[in-house]
Amino acid sequence: MSYLLSILAGAFVAVMISINGILTNVVGTQSAAILFSSIALFLAATISSGRKPKKRIKAPLWMYFGGIFNVITIWLNNLAFGKITVSALLALSLLGQVVVSAVVDHFALFGATEQKMDRFKIIGFIIISIGLIVLTFPLEGEGVFAVVITLITGFMVVFTRILNAELAKVKNLQISVFWNFLVGTIGIIILSKTLYQTPIIDTYLSLSKINPWLLTGGIFAVASILITNYISPRIASYYLTLFLFIGQIFTGLLIDIALEGSFHVRNFIGGMLVLAGLYFNLYFDNIKKNEEKS
């Protein structure tokens, strides 16, 4: 069940990124990030209203920083959208996530389930990397810039997921999501106002002029985070990342078809290679677990 939920959460992420990217083309990077975060915050506040924390203890301050990493992810994704395909964007983000997740699992950081790297995981990782190369290259011009910032979003996604999951253990899923978007919304407003002098009031007044469906990205984001926070303690970070990718990449392929009106065979082959690498890792991981039980 956790694997299926991971795939669903990944699909939601792909839809969210696409909607936010289109919104960015309409109102600009900073205004799109502000609108997205504000709507997600309103929804998260509604869901968490009246909820009581699981434990009557004070959560460490660092657990609330997930929203900071989240706002960086949103901003960078909006910058990269349109410069490379949705499939490539998601694939590059995965590469960053896989690297960080493998380190987290290998050293059992942040309370993660220990999953040591072995030769089979390395082989699986090589297959996944080949798939990512097929999905992403060749690149030129702004695509190179998009590659760099999208890799960074992969790091940010894992840190956001870990911090939100840790906060959810102390509080609960709904309160964790609320704090994620509260901190993120405050962060993006400060960033937009100080660095870009984005007119905040004008941004909110433009709501009535925007097609309503372009404002639904926050709904998919909240749903994805709720699901991810729920399953994070139940599945190793490395495999959570990869199953999220399955949902992301194949939803991304469908979105690319919808936006460009054509099917990219190269993207499909790349996605299948990544899936093959995932299956390779899971297959030998299951064999190892069965040997330890017997």
Side-chain angles (χ1 to χ4, degrees):
M1 178 59 72
S2 294
Y3 292 148
L4 292 176
L5 288 174
S6 300
I7 293 173
L8 179 62
F12 285 166
V13 169
V15 175
M16 178 220 28
I17 290 175
S18 299
I19 292 174
N20 284 346
I22 297 172
L23 180 62
T24 296
N25 293 335
V26 175
V27 299
T29 302
Q30 286 71 45
S31 292
I34 291 171
L35 290 173
F36 164 80
S37 294
S38 299
I39 293 170
L41 173 61
F42 174 77
L43 180 58
T46 302
I47 293 173
S48 64
S49 178
R51 299 278 181 173
K52 294 182 179 180
K54 291 180 180 178
K55 304 175 183 178
R56 295 184 178 276
I57 60 175
K58 187 176 181 180
L61 186 61
W62 61 267
M63 288 187 181
Y64 293 92
F65 289 165
I68 299 296
F69 293 114
N70 190 48
V71 75
I72 296 173
T73 301
I74 295 166
W75 182 59
L76 293 178
N77 276 333
N78 288 354
L79 285 176
F81 186 84
K83 298 177 177 63
I84 53 178
T85 65
V86 175
S87 301
L89 190 152
L90 293 168
L92 285 163
S93 178
L94 170 77
L95 180 58
Q97 292 176 51
V98 166
V99 171
V100 175
S101 295
V103 172
V104 168
D105 287 341
H106 183 78
F107 295 103
L109 303 177
F110 306 106
T113 303
E114 185 178 71
Q115 295 282 340
K116 293 293 186 181
M117 289 293 293
D118 53 29
R119 65 180 185 278
F120 297 114
K121 279 190 177 179
I122 293 174
I123 294 172
F125 180 74
I126 291 173
I127 298 173
I128 292 169
S129 298
I130 294 172
L132 293 173
I133 292 172
V134 172
L135 272 166
T136 307
F137 295 97
L139 289 171
E140 58 183 22
E142 292 185 321
V144 177
F145 169 73
V147 165
V148 175
I149 62 176
T150 305
L151 283 172
I152 296 174
T153 67
F155 302 149
M156 300 297 104
V157 167
V158 175
F159 292 137
T160 299
R161 188 165 68 225
I162 291 172
L163 293 178
N164 285 343
E166 289 300 309
L167 183 59
K169 292 177 184 177
V170 178
K171 304 297 184 179
N172 60 46
L173 293 176
Q174 294 81 4
I175 292 177
S176 173
V177 173
F178 166 73
W179 278 104
N180 175 78
F181 285 108
L182 176 62
V183 174
T185 301
I186 293 173
I188 195 63
I189 288 176
I190 293 174
L191 177 68
S192 299
K193 189 63 178 176
T194 56
L195 297 184
Y196 300 96
Q197 287 78 51
T198 303
I200 307 301
I201 299 299
D202 290 350
T203 295
Y204 288 120
L205 289 177
S206 66
L207 276 171
S208 59
K209 302 177 183 178
I210 300 173
N211 193 314
W213 76 269
L214 291 178
L215 302 174
T216 60
I219 298 175
F220 290 99
V222 170
S224 176
I225 291 178
L226 280 172
I227 294 173
T228 304
N229 285 358
Y230 173 76
I231 60 181
S232 285
R234 296 167 171 80
I235 180 174
S237 179
Y238 184 81
Y239 292 119
L240 172 59
T241 298
L242 291 173
F243 273 99
L244 284 169
F245 172 75
I246 292 177
Q248 289 177 15
I249 193 62
F250 289 105
T251 302
L253 286 170
L254 295 176
I255 291 172
D256 283 337
I257 293 172
L259 293 178
E260 301 179 17
S262 59
F263 176 73
H264 296 278
V265 176
R266 178 171 56 85
N267 287 1
F268 178 77
I269 293 174
M272 292 303 295
L273 283 170
V274 172
L275 185 58
L278 167 64
Y279 178 79
F280 184 90
N281 276 343
L282 286 177
Y283 177 76
F284 284 101
D285 193 45
N286 286 332
I287 291 178
K288 186 176 180 180
K289 287 180 180 179
N290 291 332
E291 288 177 348
E292 290 175 351
K293 290 179 181 179
S294 61

mmCIF file of all heavy atoms in Angstrom, residues 23 79 102 150-151 250:
data_model
loop_
_atom_site.group_PDB
_atom_site.id
_atom_site.type_symbol
_atom_site.label_atom_id
_atom_site.label_comp_id
_atom_site.label_asym_id
_atom_site.label_seq_id
_atom_site.Cartn_x
_atom_site.Cartn_y
_atom_site.Cartn_z
ATOM 1 N N LEU A 23 1.221 28.772 -14.685
ATOM 2 C CA LEU A 23 0.883 29.975 -13.927
ATOM 3 C C LEU A 23 2.040 30.971 -13.957
ATOM 4 O O LEU A 23 1.813 32.189 -14.055
ATOM 5 C CB LEU A 23 0.544 29.609 -12.478
ATOM 6 C CG LEU A 23 0.157 30.763 -11.543
ATOM 7 C CD1 LEU A 23 -1.110 31.467 -12.038
ATOM 8 C CD2 LEU A 23 -0.041 30.253 -10.106
ATOM 9 N N LEU A 79 11.371 28.478 -12.275
ATOM 10 C CA LEU A 79 12.397 29.027 -13.160
ATOM 11 C C LEU A 79 12.760 28.047 -14.279
ATOM 12 O O LEU A 79 13.020 28.446 -15.419
ATOM 13 C CB LEU A 79 13.656 29.365 -12.357
ATOM 14 C CG LEU A 79 13.627 30.615 -11.478
ATOM 15 C CD1 LEU A 79 14.922 30.721 -10.679
ATOM 16 C CD2 LEU A 79 13.428 31.874 -12.325
ATOM 17 N N ALA A 102 20.098 8.057 -0.716
ATOM 18 C CA ALA A 102 21.024 6.938 -0.523
ATOM 19 C C ALA A 102 21.959 7.216 0.650
ATOM 20 O O ALA A 102 22.265 6.315 1.448
ATOM 21 C CB ALA A 102 21.820 6.697 -1.795
ATOM 22 N N THR A 150 17.560 22.358 -11.318
ATOM 23 C CA THR A 150 16.653 21.245 -11.051
ATOM 24 C C THR A 150 17.319 20.174 -10.190
ATOM 25 O O THR A 150 16.677 19.549 -9.346
ATOM 26 C CB THR A 150 16.160 20.621 -12.370
ATOM 27 O OG1 THR A 150 15.569 21.637 -13.185
ATOM 28 C CG2 THR A 150 15.108 19.551 -12.097
ATOM 29 N N LEU A 151 18.607 19.958 -10.395
ATOM 30 C CA LEU A 151 19.351 19.044 -9.522
ATOM 31 C C LEU A 151 19.286 19.530 -8.067
ATOM 32 O O LEU A 151 19.129 18.734 -7.137
ATOM 33 C CB LEU A 151 20.805 18.944 -9.968
ATOM 34 C CG LEU A 151 21.093 18.073 -11.190
ATOM 35 C CD1 LEU A 151 22.540 18.243 -11.628
ATOM 36 C CD2 LEU A 151 20.801 16.610 -10.881
ATOM 37 N N PHE A 250 5.928 9.057 -15.331
ATOM 38 C CA PHE A 250 4.941 8.625 -16.313
ATOM 39 C C PHE A 250 3.768 9.604 -16.396
ATOM 40 O O PHE A 250 3.166 9.759 -17.452
ATOM 41 C CB PHE A 250 4.496 7.200 -16.018
ATOM 42 C CG PHE A 250 5.569 6.185 -16.314
ATOM 43 C CD1 PHE A 250 6.279 5.573 -15.292
ATOM 44 C CD2 PHE A 250 5.911 5.892 -17.622
ATOM 45 C CE1 PHE A 250 7.298 4.666 -15.561
ATOM 46 C CE2 PHE A 250 6.922 4.985 -17.913
ATOM 47 C CZ PHE A 250 7.619 4.376 -16.879
#
